[in-house]
Amino acid sequence: MSADTVTIHAYTTEEWGLGGNHPAGGNYRARTLTGLGLVTALMTIPAVLAPLGLLFGIVVLVRSIADGQDMFMGPTIIVASLACTALFSGGWLLGVRALRQEWRARRLRHAKGLPRPSYAVTDDQARTWFERHPGTVEITRDNFPHSARPFPGEASYVAPAGARDA
């Protein structure tokens, strides 16, 4: 493959998965299935242990009431445990959700023989590239469903200035 050869792969939203450079910003090339799986596995420990703190807080509260001691420690542990449970369990659930989406995207990409994507582009950006390099993909509403510009055959269509005649 020569240096000036460009490979364009068209991905659906479901096939994108963790992707490469996300259009909203940030570089997700570091987000791999293995890395995300490892982080999610490590998040399992505090997600499981945080609810146990709630039980510990209830025990401390009951013992402080029974012994007539300071009852401030029990409610503090309960509130802190509830906050940690929400944070750790929520993060763990988001990690599992991202893992499932990437796993599904990998299966969809594998079925089409597509590699992991590196860059995100909008339908209008991809369409502009294909209009400048005709013959690879038809410029139709089916191939670029989210394009805001009109297509050949639609009212108010104007051929782009950079397009070449085939």
Side-chain angles (χ1 to χ4, degrees), residues 13 15 18 35 39 68 73 104 113 117 124 131 135 137 139 142 147 150 160 163:
T13 305
E15 293 167 348
L18 296 174
V39 169
M73 185 59 80
R104 189 176 309 119
D124 285 326
E131 286 172 344
V137 173
I139 309 298
D142 292 336
S147 179

Side-chain angles (χ1 to χ4, degrees), residues 13-42:
T13 305
E14 294 80 25
E15 293 167 348
W16 185 257
L18 296 174
N21 289 328
H22 199 271
N27 185 345
Y28 293 114
R29 277 184 261 168
R31 289 181 59 184
T32 63
L33 188 64
T34 306
L36 189 59
L38 182 64
V39 169
T40 303
L42 290 174

Side-chain angles (χ1 to χ4, degrees), residues 21-100:
N21 289 328
H22 199 271
N27 185 345
Y28 293 114
R29 277 184 261 168
R31 289 181 59 184
T32 63
L33 188 64
T34 306
L36 189 59
L38 182 64
V39 169
T40 303
L42 290 174
M43 286 191 315
T44 302
I45 297 166
V48 168
L49 294 179
L52 295 177
L54 181 65
L55 294 174
F56 179 71
I58 291 172
V59 169
V60 168
L61 181 63
V62 168
R63 288 188 72 196
S64 66
I65 291 173
D67 295 342
Q69 297 174 353
D70 182 23
M71 295 189 331
F72 179 72
M73 185 59 80
T76 303
I77 293 173
I78 291 173
V79 170
S81 295
L82 284 173
C84 289
T85 299
L87 289 172
F88 296 149
S89 299
W92 183 81
L93 289 171
L94 288 174
V96 168
R97 180 176 155 206
L99 278 171
R100 291 183 71 197

Side-chain angles (χ1 to χ4, degrees), residues 138-158:
E138 279 188 74
I139 309 298
T140 63
R141 180 69 63 190
D142 292 336
N143 291 335
F144 303 96
H146 302 291
S147 179
R149 295 184 291 134
F151 285 87
E154 293 180 353
S156 72
Y157 172 74
V158 176

